Amino acid sequence: MKKLVILGGGYGGMKALNRLLPNNLPEDRSITLIDRNPYHSLKTEHYALAAGTISDQHVRVSFPEHPRLTYKAGNVTAISLDEATITLEDGESIHYDDLIIGLGCVDKYHNVPGAKELTYSIQTIHQARRTYQALNNLGKGATVSIVGAGLSGVELASELIESRPDLSIRIFDRGEHILSSFSPKLSTYIENWFKKHNVEVINHSNITAVEEHYLYNHQDRIQSDVIVWTAGIQPSRVVRELPVEKDKQNRIKLTPQHFIPGYDNVFVVGDCASLDYAPSAQLAEGQAEQIVEVLEKKWKNEPLPESFPPIKLKGTLGSLGKKQGFGLVADRPITGRVARLLKSGILWMYKYHNG
Protein backbone atom coordinates (compact mmCIF):
# COMPACT_ATOMS: atom_id res chain seq x y z
CA MET A 1 0.00 0.00 0.00
CA LYS A 2 1.29 3.44 -0.95
CA LYS A 3 1.75 5.92 1.89
CA LEU A 4 0.97 9.62 2.09
CA VAL A 5 2.76 11.23 5.03
CA ILE A 6 1.56 14.57 6.38
CA LEU A 7 3.99 16.46 8.60
CA GLY A 8 2.03 18.69 10.94
CA GLY A 9 -1.63 18.75 11.86
CA GLY A 10 -2.04 22.50 11.46
CA TYR A 11 -4.59 24.27 9.29
CA GLY A 12 -3.15 22.96 6.03
CA GLY A 13 -2.68 19.39 7.23
CA MET A 14 -6.15 19.35 8.78
CA LYS A 15 -7.78 20.61 5.58
CA ALA A 16 -5.99 17.93 3.52
CA LEU A 17 -7.21 15.22 5.91
CA ASN A 18 -10.78 16.46 5.79
CA ARG A 19 -10.73 16.62 2.00
CA LEU A 20 -9.42 13.07 1.63
CA LEU A 21 -11.37 11.42 4.45
CA PRO A 22 -13.58 9.54 4.77
CA ASN A 23 -14.50 8.88 1.12
CA ASN A 24 -11.82 10.30 -1.20
CA LEU A 25 -8.79 8.20 -0.24
CA PRO A 26 -8.08 5.46 -2.82
CA GLU A 27 -8.13 1.88 -1.52
CA ASP A 28 -4.42 1.45 -2.24
CA ARG A 29 -3.40 4.50 -0.17
CA SER A 30 -2.87 5.10 3.52
CA ILE A 31 -2.10 8.28 5.47
CA THR A 32 0.35 8.79 8.30
CA LEU A 33 0.01 12.04 10.22
CA ILE A 34 3.00 13.11 12.30
CA ASP A 35 2.53 15.81 14.91
CA ARG A 36 3.91 16.51 18.38
CA ASN A 37 0.34 16.79 19.73
CA PRO A 38 -2.53 14.26 19.50
CA TYR A 39 -4.92 17.02 18.36
CA HIS A 40 -5.17 20.02 16.06
CA SER A 41 -4.48 23.27 17.89
CA LEU A 42 -6.30 26.51 16.99
CA LYS A 43 -3.22 28.65 16.67
CA THR A 44 -5.22 31.78 15.94
CA GLU A 45 -6.61 31.54 19.50
CA HIS A 46 -3.35 30.99 21.37
CA TYR A 47 -3.38 34.64 22.46
CA ALA A 48 -6.55 34.01 24.53
CA LEU A 49 -5.07 30.87 26.08
CA ALA A 50 -1.97 32.86 27.09
CA ALA A 51 -4.13 35.65 28.52
CA GLY A 52 -6.13 33.17 30.58
CA THR A 53 -9.56 34.01 29.13
CA ILE A 54 -10.18 30.55 27.64
CA SER A 55 -9.22 27.08 28.78
CA ASP A 56 -6.92 24.65 27.04
CA GLN A 57 -9.78 22.55 25.70
CA HIS A 58 -11.15 25.50 23.72
CA VAL A 59 -8.12 25.49 21.39
CA ARG A 60 -8.08 21.74 20.71
CA VAL A 61 -9.87 19.99 17.84
CA SER A 62 -9.73 16.23 17.40
CA PHE A 63 -8.07 14.75 14.33
CA PRO A 64 -10.39 12.71 12.09
CA GLU A 65 -10.47 8.93 12.47
CA HIS A 66 -10.23 6.42 9.64
CA PRO A 67 -9.03 2.79 9.32
CA ARG A 68 -6.21 3.85 6.99
CA LEU A 69 -5.15 6.92 8.94
CA THR A 70 -2.31 6.42 11.43
CA TYR A 71 -1.38 9.11 13.89
CA LYS A 72 2.21 9.20 15.10
CA ALA A 73 3.39 11.47 17.89
CA GLY A 74 6.87 12.88 17.50
CA ASN A 75 9.14 15.72 16.51
CA VAL A 76 10.57 15.65 12.99
CA THR A 77 14.33 16.21 13.00
CA ALA A 78 15.20 15.64 9.33
CA ILE A 79 13.73 15.07 5.86
CA SER A 80 15.65 13.23 3.14
CA LEU A 81 14.10 14.14 -0.20
CA ASP A 82 16.35 11.79 -2.17
CA GLU A 83 15.69 8.79 0.09
CA ALA A 84 12.02 9.70 0.68
CA THR A 85 12.33 9.31 4.44
CA ILE A 86 11.44 11.24 7.58
CA THR A 87 13.58 11.00 10.71
CA LEU A 88 12.00 11.51 14.13
CA GLU A 89 13.62 12.68 17.34
CA ASP A 90 13.78 9.12 18.71
CA GLY A 91 15.73 7.99 15.63
CA GLU A 92 12.85 6.25 13.87
CA SER A 93 12.86 6.53 10.07
CA ILE A 94 9.57 6.64 8.15
CA HIS A 95 9.27 6.10 4.39
CA TYR A 96 6.80 8.01 2.25
CA ASP A 97 5.51 7.78 -1.31
CA ASP A 98 3.95 11.23 -1.16
CA LEU A 99 4.69 13.90 1.41
CA ILE A 100 2.96 17.09 2.56
CA ILE A 101 5.23 19.32 4.66
CA GLY A 102 3.19 21.52 6.97
CA LEU A 103 5.57 22.01 9.87
CA GLY A 104 4.58 25.61 10.45
CA CYS A 105 6.72 28.40 11.79
CA VAL A 106 8.75 29.47 14.79
CA ASP A 107 9.54 32.90 16.18
CA LYS A 108 12.10 35.02 14.37
CA TYR A 109 14.29 36.95 16.79
CA HIS A 110 16.20 39.07 14.26
CA ASN A 111 19.52 38.33 16.04
CA VAL A 112 18.45 40.40 19.06
CA PRO A 113 20.68 39.30 21.97
CA GLY A 114 18.74 37.58 24.73
CA ALA A 115 15.41 37.57 22.87
CA LYS A 116 15.20 33.82 22.32
CA GLU A 117 16.29 32.91 25.83
CA LEU A 118 14.44 35.54 27.89
CA THR A 119 11.10 36.16 26.19
CA TYR A 120 7.85 34.22 26.04
CA SER A 121 5.95 33.09 22.94
CA ILE A 122 2.49 32.02 21.77
CA GLN A 123 3.56 30.16 18.62
CA THR A 124 2.72 26.67 19.93
CA ILE A 125 0.15 25.50 22.45
CA HIS A 126 2.99 24.44 24.75
CA GLN A 127 4.51 27.92 24.57
CA ALA A 128 1.12 29.57 25.08
CA ARG A 129 0.59 27.48 28.23
CA ARG A 130 3.98 28.55 29.54
CA THR A 131 3.20 32.20 28.76
CA TYR A 132 -0.15 31.87 30.56
CA GLN A 133 1.62 30.69 33.70
CA ALA A 134 4.09 33.56 33.58
CA LEU A 135 1.46 36.24 32.94
CA ASN A 136 -1.10 35.06 35.41
CA ASN A 137 1.39 34.55 38.21
CA LEU A 138 2.23 38.25 38.11
CA GLY A 139 1.26 40.45 41.02
CA LYS A 140 -0.81 43.61 40.86
CA GLY A 141 0.90 46.45 39.02
CA ALA A 142 3.45 44.25 37.25
CA THR A 143 4.65 45.34 33.81
CA VAL A 144 4.20 43.29 30.62
CA SER A 145 5.98 44.22 27.39
CA ILE A 146 4.73 42.81 24.08
CA VAL A 147 7.25 43.12 21.26
CA GLY A 148 5.51 43.30 17.90
CA ALA A 149 2.19 44.95 17.04
CA GLY A 150 0.96 42.60 14.37
CA LEU A 151 -2.28 40.68 14.73
CA SER A 152 -0.94 38.36 17.45
CA GLY A 153 0.52 41.17 19.54
CA VAL A 154 -2.60 43.32 19.26
CA GLU A 155 -4.95 40.49 20.21
CA LEU A 156 -2.78 39.38 23.11
CA ALA A 157 -2.54 42.92 24.51
CA SER A 158 -6.30 43.51 24.24
CA GLU A 159 -7.23 40.17 25.75
CA LEU A 160 -4.73 40.52 28.58
CA ILE A 161 -5.89 44.00 29.62
CA GLU A 162 -9.43 42.63 29.93
CA SER A 163 -8.23 39.58 31.84
CA ARG A 164 -5.79 41.47 34.07
CA PRO A 165 -6.68 45.20 34.15
CA ASP A 166 -4.35 45.53 37.15
CA LEU A 167 -1.29 45.01 34.92
CA SER A 168 0.68 47.68 33.11
CA ILE A 169 0.91 46.68 29.44
CA ARG A 170 3.14 48.12 26.74
CA ILE A 171 3.20 47.11 23.10
CA PHE A 172 6.22 47.97 20.95
CA ASP A 173 5.82 48.61 17.22
CA ARG A 174 8.45 49.47 14.63
CA GLY A 175 6.09 51.53 12.49
CA GLU A 176 4.34 54.83 12.79
CA HIS A 177 1.01 53.05 13.38
CA ILE A 178 0.20 49.54 14.58
CA LEU A 179 -1.05 47.05 11.98
CA SER A 180 0.31 49.24 9.20
CA SER A 181 -0.77 46.69 6.56
CA PHE A 182 -4.38 47.49 7.45
CA SER A 183 -6.18 50.70 6.57
CA PRO A 184 -5.43 53.88 8.58
CA LYS A 185 -9.03 53.74 9.83
CA LEU A 186 -8.43 50.38 11.49
CA SER A 187 -5.03 51.37 12.91
CA THR A 188 -6.52 54.51 14.43
CA TYR A 189 -9.49 52.58 15.84
CA ILE A 190 -7.21 50.07 17.56
CA GLU A 191 -4.84 52.72 18.89
CA ASN A 192 -7.79 54.64 20.34
CA TRP A 193 -9.10 51.44 21.95
CA PHE A 194 -5.70 50.85 23.53
CA LYS A 195 -5.56 54.44 24.79
CA LYS A 196 -9.01 54.07 26.36
CA HIS A 197 -7.94 50.85 28.08
CA ASN A 198 -4.56 52.16 29.28
CA VAL A 199 -2.39 50.05 26.97
CA GLU A 200 0.72 52.03 26.08
CA VAL A 201 1.67 51.88 22.40
CA ILE A 202 5.32 52.68 21.69
CA ASN A 203 5.78 53.43 17.98
CA HIS A 204 9.06 53.71 16.05
CA SER A 205 10.57 51.17 18.44
CA ASN A 206 13.67 49.09 17.80
CA ILE A 207 14.37 46.37 20.33
CA THR A 208 18.15 45.97 20.38
CA ALA A 209 18.67 43.63 23.34
CA VAL A 210 16.84 41.71 26.06
CA GLU A 211 18.07 41.09 29.58
CA GLU A 212 16.43 39.42 32.59
CA HIS A 213 13.39 41.65 33.30
CA TYR A 214 14.64 44.38 30.93
CA LEU A 215 14.52 45.20 27.25
CA TYR A 216 16.32 47.89 25.29
CA ASN A 217 14.29 50.07 22.94
CA HIS A 218 17.02 51.77 20.91
CA GLN A 219 19.28 52.62 23.85
CA ASP A 220 16.59 53.01 26.52
CA ARG A 221 16.61 50.30 29.19
CA ILE A 222 12.99 49.48 30.10
CA GLN A 223 11.95 47.33 33.05
CA SER A 224 9.52 44.50 32.28
CA ASP A 225 8.35 41.68 34.52
CA VAL A 226 7.37 39.55 31.51
CA ILE A 227 8.33 40.08 27.84
CA VAL A 228 6.28 38.36 25.12
CA TRP A 229 7.76 38.16 21.61
CA THR A 230 5.37 38.45 18.64
CA ALA A 231 7.76 40.22 16.26
CA GLY A 232 8.01 37.96 13.25
CA ILE A 233 8.08 34.34 12.15
CA GLN A 234 10.22 32.00 10.07
CA PRO A 235 9.81 28.40 8.84
CA SER A 236 10.74 25.59 11.21
CA ARG A 237 14.39 24.58 11.43
CA VAL A 238 13.89 21.34 9.47
CA VAL A 239 12.50 23.30 6.52
CA ARG A 240 15.19 25.97 6.70
CA GLU A 241 17.84 23.24 6.45
CA LEU A 242 16.39 21.52 3.38
CA PRO A 243 18.79 21.88 0.40
CA VAL A 244 16.22 23.42 -1.94
CA GLU A 245 15.60 26.90 -3.34
CA LYS A 246 14.02 29.36 -0.90
CA ASP A 247 12.94 32.98 -0.84
CA LYS A 248 14.33 35.74 1.39
CA GLN A 249 12.14 34.56 4.27
CA ASN A 250 13.56 31.00 3.97
CA ARG A 251 10.24 29.69 2.64
CA ILE A 252 10.45 26.99 -0.01
CA LYS A 253 9.82 27.98 -3.62
CA LEU A 254 7.30 25.71 -5.32
CA THR A 255 5.86 24.86 -8.72
CA PRO A 256 2.32 26.05 -9.56
CA GLN A 257 1.19 22.60 -8.35
CA HIS A 258 2.71 23.29 -4.88
CA PHE A 259 5.46 20.67 -5.02
CA ILE A 260 9.21 21.19 -4.74
CA PRO A 261 10.86 21.45 -8.17
CA GLY A 262 12.47 18.10 -8.96
CA TYR A 263 10.37 16.31 -6.32
CA ASP A 264 6.84 15.95 -7.65
CA ASN A 265 5.85 13.84 -4.65
CA VAL A 266 6.76 16.45 -2.01
CA PHE A 267 4.32 19.29 -1.34
CA VAL A 268 4.70 22.22 1.05
CA VAL A 269 1.73 23.90 2.69
CA GLY A 270 1.26 26.92 4.93
CA ASP A 271 3.94 29.00 6.63
CA CYS A 272 6.80 27.08 4.99
CA ALA A 273 5.63 27.76 1.42
CA SER A 274 6.73 30.76 -0.64
CA LEU A 275 3.48 32.30 -1.82
CA ASP A 276 2.29 35.73 -2.94
CA TYR A 277 0.37 36.34 0.28
CA ALA A 278 1.27 36.71 3.93
CA PRO A 279 0.97 33.41 5.83
CA SER A 280 -2.46 32.76 7.34
CA ALA A 281 -4.79 29.92 8.29
CA GLN A 282 -7.03 30.78 5.33
CA LEU A 283 -4.14 30.64 2.91
CA ALA A 284 -2.96 27.27 4.24
CA GLU A 285 -6.44 25.81 3.85
CA GLY A 286 -6.85 27.13 0.32
CA GLN A 287 -3.47 25.77 -0.66
CA ALA A 288 -4.25 22.37 0.89
CA GLU A 289 -7.38 22.06 -1.22
CA GLN A 290 -5.32 22.58 -4.37
CA ILE A 291 -2.69 20.08 -3.19
CA VAL A 292 -5.37 17.44 -2.67
CA GLU A 293 -6.65 18.09 -6.20
CA VAL A 294 -3.13 17.49 -7.54
CA LEU A 295 -2.75 14.31 -5.50
CA GLU A 296 -6.07 12.91 -6.70
CA LYS A 297 -5.10 13.44 -10.35
CA LYS A 298 -1.62 12.05 -9.73
CA TRP A 299 -3.03 8.90 -8.14
CA LYS A 300 -5.37 8.42 -11.12
CA ASN A 301 -2.48 8.96 -13.58
CA GLU A 302 -4.31 11.96 -15.02
CA PRO A 303 -2.58 15.13 -16.26
CA LEU A 304 -1.87 17.58 -13.45
CA PRO A 305 -3.38 21.07 -13.56
CA GLU A 306 -0.98 23.46 -15.27
CA SER A 307 -1.96 26.22 -12.85
CA PHE A 308 -4.55 27.26 -10.32
CA PRO A 309 -6.55 30.46 -9.95
CA PRO A 310 -5.38 32.71 -7.10
CA ILE A 311 -6.50 31.53 -3.69
CA LYS A 312 -9.44 33.67 -2.61
CA LEU A 313 -8.99 35.12 0.85
CA LYS A 314 -12.21 36.29 2.47
CA GLY A 315 -10.56 38.80 4.76
CA THR A 316 -8.95 39.15 8.16
CA LEU A 317 -10.66 39.49 11.54
CA GLY A 318 -9.15 40.35 14.89
CA SER A 319 -10.51 40.74 18.39
CA LEU A 320 -10.17 43.49 20.95
CA GLY A 321 -11.15 41.55 24.04
CA LYS A 322 -14.47 39.72 24.16
CA LYS A 323 -16.78 42.49 22.93
CA GLN A 324 -14.97 44.50 20.24
CA GLY A 325 -13.14 43.60 17.08
CA PHE A 326 -11.80 44.81 13.75
CA GLY A 327 -11.05 43.48 10.33
CA LEU A 328 -11.12 43.64 6.57
CA VAL A 329 -13.96 41.80 4.83
CA ALA A 330 -14.05 42.02 1.03
CA ASP A 331 -11.49 44.85 1.39
CA ARG A 332 -13.90 46.83 3.55
CA PRO A 333 -12.83 47.79 7.09
CA ILE A 334 -15.23 46.82 9.87
CA THR A 335 -14.96 47.59 13.57
CA GLY A 336 -16.80 47.07 16.82
CA ARG A 337 -19.23 44.43 17.99
CA VAL A 338 -20.08 43.10 14.52
CA ALA A 339 -16.44 42.28 13.76
CA ARG A 340 -16.12 40.40 17.06
CA LEU A 341 -19.32 38.42 16.46
CA LEU A 342 -18.14 37.50 12.96
CA LYS A 343 -14.87 36.16 14.30
CA SER A 344 -16.63 34.18 17.04
CA GLY A 345 -19.01 32.67 14.49
CA ILE A 346 -16.23 31.64 12.13
CA LEU A 347 -14.33 30.04 15.01
CA TRP A 348 -17.44 28.12 16.09
CA MET A 349 -18.02 26.85 12.56
CA TYR A 350 -14.42 25.73 12.25
CA LYS A 351 -14.37 23.85 15.56
CA TYR A 352 -17.61 22.00 15.05
CA HIS A 353 -17.25 21.20 11.37
CA ASN A 354 -13.65 19.98 11.45
CA GLY A 355 -13.56 17.77 14.54
Side-chain angles (χ1 to χ4, degrees):
M1 185 171 287
K2 298 294 184 67
K3 182 189 294 185
L4 166 65
V5 174
I6 300 177
L7 303 183
Y11 290 96
M14 192 74 160
K15 176 61 73 172
L17 287 173
N18 285 319
R19 279 292 306 273
L20 288 168
L21 303 176
N23 301 318
N24 295 323
L25 185 67
E27 292 294 331
D28 64 340
R29 304 280 166 173
S30 67
I31 301 176
T32 297
L33 171 65
I34 302 175
D35 196 286
R36 63 168 65 94
N37 297 314
Y39 47 77
H40 169 62
S41 174
L42 299 174
K43 187 175 180 179
T44 58
E45 303 305 301
H46 284 177
Y47 71 91
L49 177 61
T53 55
I54 61 173
S55 66
D56 195 282
Q57 67 177 3
H58 283 90
V59 298
R60 300 197 306 258
V61 177
S62 299
F63 290 132
E65 296 181 359
H66 190 274
R68 283 179 283 124
L69 169 63
T70 301
Y71 164 75
K72 192 160 193 62
N75 288 316
V76 176
T77 57
I79 301 170
S80 175
L81 299 176
D82 293 326
E83 296 180 7
T85 57
I86 307 298
T87 302
L88 301 184
E89 194 171 37
D90 62 3
E92 181 179 0
S93 181
I94 297 173
H95 170 77
Y96 63 82
D97 294 287
D98 293 294
L99 178 67
I100 299 177
I101 301 173
L103 290 173
C105 61
V106 296
D107 289 297
K108 188 173 184 178
Y109 296 101
H110 308 285
N111 299 315
V112 174
K116 182 177 181 180
E117 297 80 12
L118 299 173
T119 66
Y120 290 83
S121 171
I122 59 172
Q123 281 298 327
T124 68
I125 191 170
H126 171 76
Q127 290 172 317
R129 290 178 184 134
R130 179 172 173 265
T131 301
Y132 160 76
Q133 290 180 325
L135 291 172
N136 286 277
N137 284 336
L138 290 173
K140 182 178 180 180
T143 299
V144 176
S145 293
I146 299 172
V147 181
L151 193 58
S152 295
V154 165
E155 290 190 305
L156 175 61
S158 62
E159 198 81 6
L160 186 59
I161 201 64
E162 284 201 352
S163 171
R164 291 290 308 273
D166 59 302
L167 297 177
S168 175
I169 299 175
R170 305 187 190 102
I171 184 165
F172 293 83
D173 181 43
R174 292 179 66 92
E176 184 176 353
H177 296 284
I178 60 177
L179 288 177
S180 57
S181 61
F182 284 59
S183 70
K185 176 182 177 180
L186 289 179
S187 295
T188 301
Y189 174 79
I190 297 163
E191 288 177 343
N192 288 338
W193 191 94
F194 278 153
K195 185 176 181 180
K196 179 181 177 182
H197 291 81
N198 299 314
V199 175
E200 184 181 2
V201 178
I202 302 174
N203 299 113
H204 303 292
S205 66
N206 182 28
I207 307 306
T208 55
V210 177
E211 296 176 349
E212 189 77 36
H213 299 308
Y214 290 91
L215 59 77
Y216 288 80
N217 180 27
H218 300 281
Q219 301 304 316
D220 296 333
R221 189 171 187 248
I222 300 172
Q223 190 275 333
S224 300
D225 294 289
V226 169
I227 303 167
V228 184
W229 194 271
T230 64
I233 59 173
Q234 61 183 337
S236 65
R237 177 194 58 80
V238 172
V239 169
R240 298 199 309 270
E241 292 178 354
L242 279 177
V244 297
E245 188 178 4
K246 305 182 185 76
D247 64 16
K248 293 180 180 179
Q249 286 77 41
N250 263 324
R251 298 177 301 185
I252 297 176
K253 292 187 176 183
L254 303 171
T255 68
Q257 297 78 23
H258 305 293
F259 57 75
I260 298 176
Y263 299 93
D264 63 0
N265 62 335
V266 181
F267 302 83
V268 184
V269 68
D271 298 336
C272 300
S274 179
L275 300 173
D276 294 332
Y277 309 92
S280 69
Q282 271 188 84
L283 183 61
E285 289 187 315
Q287 190 190 5
E289 291 188 349
Q290 295 181 353
I291 288 173
V292 169
E293 185 176 337
V294 173
L295 282 171
E296 290 175 334
K297 290 187 176 297
K298 180 174 181 282
W299 292 340
K300 294 176 183 177
N301 293 316
E302 295 178 358
L304 302 184
E306 293 185 3
S307 62
F308 285 100
I311 297 171
K312 292 184 178 180
L313 302 179
K314 298 177 181 178
T316 302
L317 292 168
S319 66
L320 292 173
K322 295 302 182 189
K323 295 182 179 180
Q324 300 294 313
F326 60 91
L328 284 173
V329 178
D331 294 325
R332 293 181 59 185
I334 59 172
T335 59
R337 184 71 171 166
V338 171
R340 188 64 180 92
L341 288 171
L342 275 174
K343 182 178 179 183
S344 296
I346 291 170
L347 177 63
W348 187 90
M349 288 287 291
Y350 184 90
K351 285 182 68 174
Y352 295 103
H353 287 269
N354 282 280

